[in-house]
Amino acid sequence: MSNENEKLQNFIFRVRRFDPGKDSEPYYEDFVVPCGPGMVVLDGLWYIKEHLDPTLSWRSSCRMGVCGSCGMLLNGKPHLACHTQVRDISKDILLVAPLPNFNIVRDLVPDLAPMLEKHRKLNTRIIREDIEEVLEPTDQYWQDPEDLTAYLQFAYCIKCGCCMAACPTLATDDVYSGPMPLTQGYRYLIDTRDGAFRERAKLLSSEIGPWRCHYAGECSAVCPKGVDPARAIQLMKRELVWDLVKLGKRRHQKPVGLLPKENRATERREGIAEAPEFTIEGATSPAE
Amino acid sequence: MSSNNTRLWTWHVLAGLILVVLLGLHMFGMHLNDLFHLESLNPEGGSPIDWANVAARAQAIGQVVFYILFLGFALYHGLYGLRNILLELNPSEGMAKFISRGILIAGVILFAFGTWAAIAARSTALAAL
Amino acid sequence: MPEIKQYPNKLGLKGWVVGGKWGPERYLYTLHRVTGLGILLYFVMHIFVTATRSISQELWERTMAGVSGTFFLVGEYLVFVAFAFHALNGLRLALIELGVLTGPAEEPIYPYKSSLNVQRPYMVVMMILAAAVVLAGGYDFFIATGH
């Protein structure tokens, strides 16, 4: 144990504070935090909360880079606090601030609601015409490995908002959707199970589409999950432009199942459990 | 505010690619003339801005067409880029409409003026012969 | 529920200049905008200046005499440099934005590589080409006698 303590080094956590109840402007406050090897920024914040100032606020949950709650500006660059070792990015002073381009709710808590609203506007879900098949599936949705690879990378997104904080267009623009929503828009645009390409293409040709991306590349530089939003946005442009000039392979929604229709089950097979009851009052189908 | 941005943007990129060729030729003729002399652009030798060369270019019908195409693509590419930058500054909806219309009108006026200049220069050069 | 006061934390125009900057592409993005605006400004003036040839030889020669001298020569060279950069960087951007130089989607495996890594060699080539054009222009502007 004494060996472990010898390895501790004091770091100054310079934390941006803001209390909507009493502050008109955010300000920086210093905390001295002893950090051992392997200690992540989130551990440091917990140390402050437990030993120095219980009023310090931030958002975190899984503490293992999965939930996307603890995106913060660490020494000026967006990172996940649970995913970033203090000694990797600092020698003595560590600047901790909330993600820019979002309103500050309190201390290190950004208001992610506008981002999620943009995400919702891009219809980020599978949309199909054969609603009966969605409600009463007769078979599986088949996809080739290539079909899967086309969107899998972008499906790893955890919606932490780091890319939105890094995007220079979003530093001024409220209309542009931004990297996260557009990446998710592309993820569904390219999904062979989806059947709404026309509607999506029309929606994306408006101001909320990918046209205000100029490949500064910062979203991909900061993404903690390797999702590469910049790639998704350029591939989205390609799909839309190729479709416009009629050079694109028209994407066809693939049929359900590979079996001929007459061989397919028409009723639910035995032994397959029923879907659970809806937990939201008033909900009638997953397609709504 | 429902302009088809897919179409506008595609033209922007297309115009950019065409400009690499057109502006490239223009720059070779005007500013790399000593390294790579293009006879058809500067037939009289000397500086590309000597009246003899200017008049020779102005009266060639191919050059007139070149100038008008060049003017159109360059204005579209440049003004679309300017509009993009201004719209990204988050103007109000009314202001955004004003910017878009203003830029469109400026583009049309500049194109009309430049086209007139290219055609009138041909007559001036021919008359001076 | 009472309205909770929030602090607006958009970087604003400052974000175009100082936000980000973790990769060379971010600097090229800024430079692309600046050079584009510079070229556009020059281009609009250029339309009016060169239109003097449509009036008469005398007016043309008087105008050309008016825009000669070191100040205009250096200014024009800067426009040439801006052109060389904007054209070659624009060529790279067009290929990226049409999905050619981004590479296809791939499963993210740590340490993550992104489309930035795919296009970077082309970026280096384009910048070397731009530098070559800038040098050739420098020779023509300032050293060769024909100008």
Side-chain angles (χ1 to χ4, degrees):
Chain A
M1 194 63 207
S2 61
N3 259 355
E4 283 300 305
N5 280 335
E6 275 166 30
K7 286 184 193 161
L8 290 178
Q9 182 198 335
N10 281 342
F11 281 77
I12 293 173
F13 274 46
R14 189 157 288 167
V15 183
R16 201 155 190 235
R17 307 292 308 268
F18 175 71
D19 180 346
K22 53 179 211 239
D23 301 327
S24 55
E25 288 275 319
Y27 61 96
Y28 281 99
E29 187 173 357
D30 285 2
F31 299 97
V32 178
V33 180
C35 296
M39 190 166 150
V40 293
V41 176
L42 187 60
D43 296 332
L45 294 176
W46 277 116
Y47 178 89
I48 296 172
K49 195 165 182 78
E50 286 168 2
H51 297 95
L52 305 172
D53 185 349
T55 66
L56 182 66
S57 304
W58 72 87
R59 228 187 249 127
S60 70
S61 179
C62 76
R63 49 113 184 87
M64 55 188 188
V66 174
C67 74
S69 304
C70 64
M72 297 174 191
L73 203 63
L74 304 178
N75 269 354
K77 192 171 175 177
H79 284 291
L80 295 180
C82 67
H83 196 261
T84 310
Q85 298 192 10
V86 176
R87 289 177 178 211
D88 275 359
I89 58 165
S90 171
K91 287 206 159 54
D92 39 22
I93 297 174
L94 179 66
L95 282 170
V96 187
L99 289 178
N101 301 342
F102 296 105
N103 286 352
I104 304 175
V105 177
R106 187 190 175 106
D107 293 342
L108 301 170
V109 182
D111 177 20
L112 300 179
M115 170 178 81
L116 299 171
E117 180 56 25
K118 287 172 173 178
H119 177 252
R120 193 190 61 77
K121 264 192 190 162
L122 289 178
N123 293 326
T124 41
R125 61 199 160 88
I126 301 268
I127 300 173
R128 293 176 66 93
E129 291 211 334
D130 50 355
I131 200 80
E132 312 80 52
E133 181 61 39
V134 177
L135 295 176
E136 291 292 330
T138 57
D139 209 329
Q140 299 172 48
Y141 296 101
W142 289 87
Q143 290 196 310
D144 300 340
E146 301 89 78
D147 296 339
L148 177 69
T149 312
Y151 71 79
L152 184 62
Q153 174 174 30
F154 311 122
Y156 282 105
C157 174
I158 56 173
K159 285 88 183 169
C160 61
C162 284
C163 55
M164 306 288 275
C167 173
T169 305
L170 288 178
T172 51
D173 196 342
D174 284 335
V175 181
Y176 174 57
S177 288
M180 186 288 271
L182 285 172
T183 302
Q184 295 316 301
Y186 178 70
R187 176 246 174 280
Y188 287 98
L189 182 82
I190 205 72
D191 195 315
T192 50
R193 293 167 296 183
D194 184 72
F197 184 84
R198 213 36 43 244
E199 294 78 2
R200 293 182 192 279
K202 188 156 183 282
L203 184 65
L204 290 168
S205 76
S206 71
E207 277 75 14
I208 65 173
W211 316 109
R212 292 184 188 177
C213 165
H214 312 292
Y215 204 76
E218 297 297 54
C219 49
S220 296
V222 300
C223 178
K225 302 300 281 183
V227 167
D228 202 350
R231 173 182 281 157
I233 296 173
Q234 312 323 311
L235 293 177
M236 174 187 262
K237 286 179 193 165
R238 177 170 73 179
E239 283 292 314
L240 298 174
V241 169
W242 265 203
D243 177 63
L244 178 79
V245 299
K246 309 273 185 272
L247 280 177
K249 280 186 286 177
R250 279 299 293 119
R251 289 173 60 261
H252 286 294
Q253 178 182 312
K254 288 213 171 159
V256 177
L258 291 179
L259 292 170
K261 213 164 185 140
E262 59 272 21
N263 293 353
R264 274 191 239 157
T266 48
E267 287 168 10
R268 181 176 289 277
R269 269 179 255 163
E270 260 178 65
I272 298 179
E274 286 290 329
E277 290 294 311
F278 292 118
T279 51
I280 300 169
E281 212 175 314
T284 51
S285 85
E288 273 175 18
Chain B
M1 291 305 288
S2 58
S3 45
N4 184 340
N5 288 273
T6 311
R7 181 165 288 137
L8 292 178
W9 185 86
T10 305
W11 274 107
H12 178 67
V13 174
L14 202 61
L17 292 173
I18 293 170
L19 278 177
V20 172
V21 179
L22 298 186
L23 187 54
L25 274 174
H26 184 65
M27 285 296 185
F28 264 82
M30 298 302 123
H31 295 302
L32 295 174
N33 184 47
D34 293 312
L35 277 177
F36 314 93
H37 181 67
L38 295 177
E39 185 64 33
S40 60
L41 292 182
N42 296 303
E44 309 296 326
S47 168
I49 58 166
D50 288 345
W51 176 255
N53 284 321
V54 172
R57 283 196 298 271
Q59 61 182 274
I61 195 83
Q63 278 289 332
V64 175
V65 174
F66 174 90
Y67 278 133
I68 294 172
L69 283 177
F70 185 15
L71 178 75
F73 284 119
L75 277 173
Y76 181 83
H77 186 85
L79 292 177
Y80 177 85
L82 176 67
R83 172 179 175 267
N84 232 341
I85 291 177
L86 293 176
L87 293 189
E88 281 172 25
L89 287 171
N90 215 26
S92 66
E93 207 164 306
M95 190 63 187
K97 208 167 261 182
F98 176 77
I99 290 170
S100 292
R101 297 234 171 104
I103 283 180
L104 179 66
I105 292 167
V108 169
I109 291 173
L110 284 170
F111 182 72
F113 176 73
T115 305
W116 166 81
I119 294 169
R122 183 160 192 268
S123 326
T124 311
L126 285 172
L129 276 179
Chain C
M1 208 173 85
E3 185 77 13
I4 300 169
K5 187 181 76 175
Q6 297 187 340
Y7 185 80
N9 196 27
K10 267 190 181 289
L11 291 172
L13 199 53
K14 198 183 73 183
W16 287 13
V17 187
V18 298
K21 298 173 119 175
W22 304 297
E25 291 76 16
R26 176 65 172 77
Y27 292 90
L28 297 186
Y29 154 89
T30 311
L31 210 51
H32 200 75
R33 293 217 139 167
V34 172
T35 52
L37 287 175
I39 294 167
L40 181 64
L41 181 68
Y42 175 85
F43 175 52
V44 171
M45 295 192 297
H46 192 58
I47 292 175
F48 289 103
V49 169
T50 54
T52 56
R53 77 192 190 285
S54 319
I55 312 292
S56 69
Q57 174 178 359
E58 197 263 326
L59 182 62
W60 167 262
E61 283 170 348
R62 203 143 42 87
T63 313
M64 284 300 110
V67 293
S68 62
T70 316
F71 175 79
F72 285 101
L73 185 66
V74 172
E76 221 176 337
Y77 182 61
L78 285 180
V79 176
F80 181 83
V81 171
F83 148 75
F85 169 80
H86 197 89
L88 287 158
N89 191 48
L91 214 50
R92 173 186 72 98
L93 283 176
L95 290 174
I96 289 173
E97 299 194 33
L98 292 172
V100 180
L101 295 187
T102 55
E106 56 193 37
E107 179 137 13
I109 293 167
Y110 199 83
Y112 304 129
K113 293 243 183 287
S114 70
S115 58
L116 294 167
N117 302 82
V118 179
Q119 59 80 46
R120 202 155 283 160
Y122 300 92
M123 181 197 87
V124 173
V125 170
M126 286 303 178
M127 289 305 104
I128 291 172
L129 282 177
V133 176
V134 165
L135 286 177
Y139 168 81
D140 204 282
F141 267 80
F142 300 113
I143 299 171
T145 48
H147 206 78

